[in-house]
Amino acid sequence: MNLNQHTALYGVIGDPVGHSRSPALHNAAFLSTGLNAVYLAFEGKEIEGCIRGIKALGIKGVSVTIPFKTAVIPYLDEIDPLARRIGAVNTIVNNKGRLKGYNTDALGAAKALEERTKLRGMTCLIIGAGGAAKAIGFMLKEKGVTVSIVNRTRKRGETLARSLGCPFVPLVDVEGEKGDILVQTTPVGMYPHINQCPVPEHILEQGMVVMDIVYVPAETRLLKSSRNRGCATISGVGMFIHQGAEQFRLWTGMDPPVEVMNKAVKEALSEQDERN
Ligand code: NAP
């Protein structure tokens, strides 16, 4: 990269950010499109200071990750209607000091699913009721999917189910549930706990479409079992790439180089696999 006094600065804010593959994804995209821009990881301890830093330093675009996706909202000048409905922002565009928040997690998940299955008229079990489940739940409802929320903690699960207008199922009772699609949104199965599976494996029936949004490892225990039981599987890498691609579009107004982004993330993930 040829960095100079005109280089535009982008980055991710969150805590922790040391594991983030967003720098690999976005720097590969900037390089391949010839943009004079760089993307860094900023570990931020409190959101107000991060926002002041973005404005003061003229950082052009920011990804927002745990724990700031909801906390950032009151500090923004404008919120895109989808992000407002979801109640979480994962992308900030800085337009001459005016910060606008978006949610590309929802679009990223929908695109990853739509590459493998139609959505309208399908039924879907969403495992988990956190920020990602909320984004995906809203998007799938808009796409005409009949959703059920399955969660370990009743209160959180019921709250999300109520806001989506859909049924809640306690995780311990998931055995009797059926869905054309299962979307796993908890951190269960993520490195280093790679042998954990969030649901009993016998509920994975041949023909189901199973997406795990965990992307380290790329094939989680849930996806491995699903594949062995004849389900179509979608890894979290797809959602990650598409949410990043939508960020690139918002920041630059250009079509994202999705294949380049895909290759960069897969390389970054395989380097990690080799280190483990
Ligand atoms: P979050 O808001 O903290 O929600 C976590 C959810 O997981 C909650 O519903 C929680 O249930 C459940 N959970 C946590 N530990 C559990 C366990 N041991 N057993 C059963 N349920 C458990 O997190 P989030 O922002 O939604 O993110 C969730 C995961 O998605 C993270 O691993 C994140 O890296 C990943 N993610 C991936 C992408 C992508 O692009 N692929 C994008 C966004 C997020 P309780 O309510 O019972 O606590």
Side-chain angles (χ1 to χ4, degrees), residues 66 69 105 128-132 151-153 156 171 185-188 190 213 215 236 239-240 243:
I66 290 172
K69 286 187 181 181
D105 281 336
N151 198 46
R152 176 181 64 177
T153 306
R156 203 169 180 190
L171 184 56
T185 73
T186 80
V188 176
M190 186 162 68
I213 73 164
Y215 62 92
M239 171 177 168
F240 180 69
Q243 63 79 35

Side-chain angles (χ1 to χ4, degrees), residues 231-249:
C231 308
T233 62
I234 306 172
S235 99
V237 178
M239 171 177 168
F240 180 69
I241 287 158
H242 286 300
Q243 63 79 35
E246 292 309 311
Q247 293 183 321
F248 181 92
R249 196 190 301 282

Side-chain angles (χ1 to χ4, degrees), residues 180-216:
D180 305 313
I181 304 171
L182 183 145
V183 179
Q184 179 335 86
T185 73
T186 80
V188 176
M190 186 162 68
Y191 178 83
H193 305 292
I194 58 170
N195 286 321
Q196 293 179 356
C197 186
V199 293
E201 292 170 34
H202 58 262
I203 75 160
L204 305 165
E205 287 183 0
Q206 184 163 15
M208 268 173 99
V209 176
V210 179
M211 178 162 90
D212 196 335
I213 73 164
V214 167
Y215 62 92
V216 184

